[in-house]
Amino acid sequence: MQWDAISDRILICRFRTRARNVSCIQCYAPTETSDIEDKLNFYSQLQNTLNSTPKGDILLVMGDLNAKVGKDNTNYEKTLGKHALGDRNINGELFVELCTTNNLVVGGSIFPHRDIHK
């Protein structure tokens, strides 16, 4: 239906399907070694993009978020599953907070996979 390049790191596309429209946000987050200001600017833009999506759409946020969400899902049971790896990094914290705020689920942590596929 439409697409828009929000920045050099965020692209949104909207598709019409039989059941409902789908909004896909493709992103490339700053790496873990980037300045915290760059990370906060990215997540602010991403939040603004999420706020601008139509409420009735199915929403997918995908891409390289450079985030490790970690296997500890304490206090984030509705956002994270039990099947992630390692410890949460700064990018993981920012991503989990964004997902929690917007009632999103981190799909890669929901289903069991072999460690080499995570």
Side-chain angles (χ1 to χ4, degrees), residues 90-109:
I90 301 287
N91 286 348
E93 283 290 336
L94 293 168
F95 182 55
V96 169
E97 286 301 320
L98 177 96
C99 291
T100 302
T101 301
N102 294 285
N103 296 319
L104 299 174
V105 176
V106 179
S109 68

Side-chain angles (χ1 to χ4, degrees), residues 55-104:
K55 299 299 178 210
D57 284 11
I58 295 170
L59 180 61
L60 299 173
V61 178
M62 56 190 169
D64 186 354
L65 290 145
N66 289 306
K68 292 181 182 177
V69 295
K71 58 185 170 187
D72 181 19
N73 69 345
T74 306
N75 299 324
Y76 296 108
E77 291 83 3
K78 292 183 179 181
T79 303
L80 295 173
K82 299 177 181 179
H83 300 288
L85 286 177
D87 297 320
R88 191 171 302 138
N89 62 10
I90 301 287
N91 286 348
E93 283 290 336
L94 293 168
F95 182 55
V96 169
E97 286 301 320
L98 177 96
C99 291
T100 302
T101 301
N102 294 285
N103 296 319
L104 299 174

Side-chain angles (χ1 to χ4, degrees), residues 4 6 10 16 30 40 51-52 74 94 96 100 104 113-114:
D4 188 20
I6 306 299
I10 301 172
R16 184 182 330 269
L40 294 175
N51 292 341
S52 70
T74 306
L94 293 168
V96 169
T100 302
L104 299 174
H113 297 282
R114 292 184 182 169

Side-chain angles (χ1 to χ4, degrees), residues 12 21 27 32 43 52 65 79 81 85:
I12 184 167
N21 294 333
C27 22
E32 185 68 16
Y43 278 98
S52 70
L65 290 145
T79 303
L85 286 177

Side-chain angles (χ1 to χ4, degrees), residues 21-39:
N21 294 333
V22 177
S23 289
C24 295
I25 300 173
Q26 177 69 32
C27 22
Y28 176 64
T31 61
E32 185 68 16
T33 58
S34 298
D35 292 333
I36 189 68
E37 187 175 314
D38 291 340
K39 295 176 188 183

